[in-house]
Amino acid sequence: MQFLRTAFWVVIAVALAFFCMANYVPVTVRLWGDMVMETKLPVLLIGAFLLGALPFWVMARATRWRMKRRLESTERALIVATTTPAPTPSPADSADITTPPTPPLSATGTA
């Protein structure tokens, strides 16, 4: 699959290089008012493409960042939910078996 992706981008790059070589002519662009910019046609087209792709690239990066945060949060919640806490010993289990139990007190308060 990596080979196909690389082959695709090589074909695109070669086609772009041929286009640039065939159309390397100066173009006059009126920006606003009396401002005029002279540039080569391939530079203008590549710049326009990159300028148009910028908002979508920013949106994709923001979505990826947000989804990564949601996934990490969900993973942390899953770890907390699946981790069983260590059982706490009950008072009966913690009593020392070697010591004899104390006799109950009588109504007068003596044993």
Side-chain angles (χ1 to χ4, degrees), residues 1 11-12 14 78 102:
M1 193 66 171
V11 168
I12 295 294
V14 168
L78 180 65
T102 56

Coordinates of all heavy atoms in Angstrom, one line a residue, residues 1 11-12 14 78 102:
M1 N 0.8 -1.2 0.0 CA 0.0 0.0 0.0 C 0.9 1.3 0.0 O 0.5 2.2 -0.6 CB -0.9 0.0 1.2 CG -2.0 1.0 1.2 SD -3.1 0.6 -0.2 CE -4.4 1.7 0.1
V11 N 3.8 10.4 -9.6 CA 3.0 10.8 -10.9 C 2.5 12.2 -10.8 O 2.6 13.0 -11.7 CB 1.9 9.8 -11.1 CG1 1.0 10.3 -12.2 CG2 2.4 8.4 -11.5
I12 N 2.0 12.6 -9.7 CA 1.5 14.0 -9.5 C 2.7 15.0 -9.6 O 2.5 16.0 -10.2 CB 0.8 14.1 -8.1 CG1 -0.5 13.3 -8.1 CG2 0.5 15.6 -7.8 CD1 -1.6 13.7 -9.0
V14 N 5.5 14.6 -11.2 CA 6.0 14.6 -12.5 C 5.1 15.5 -13.4 O 5.5 16.3 -14.2 CB 6.3 13.2 -13.1 CG1 6.5 13.2 -14.6 CG2 7.4 12.6 -12.4
L78 N -12.0 4.1 30.9 CA -12.0 2.7 30.9 C -11.1 2.0 31.8 O -11.5 1.0 32.5 CB -11.7 2.2 29.4 CG -11.8 0.7 29.2 CD1 -13.2 0.2 29.4 CD2 -11.3 0.4 27.8
T102 N -11.6 -10.6 74.9 CA -11.8 -10.1 76.3 C -13.2 -10.5 76.7 O -14.1 -10.6 75.9 CB -11.8 -8.5 76.2 OG1 -12.7 -8.1 75.2 CG2 -10.4 -8.1 75.9

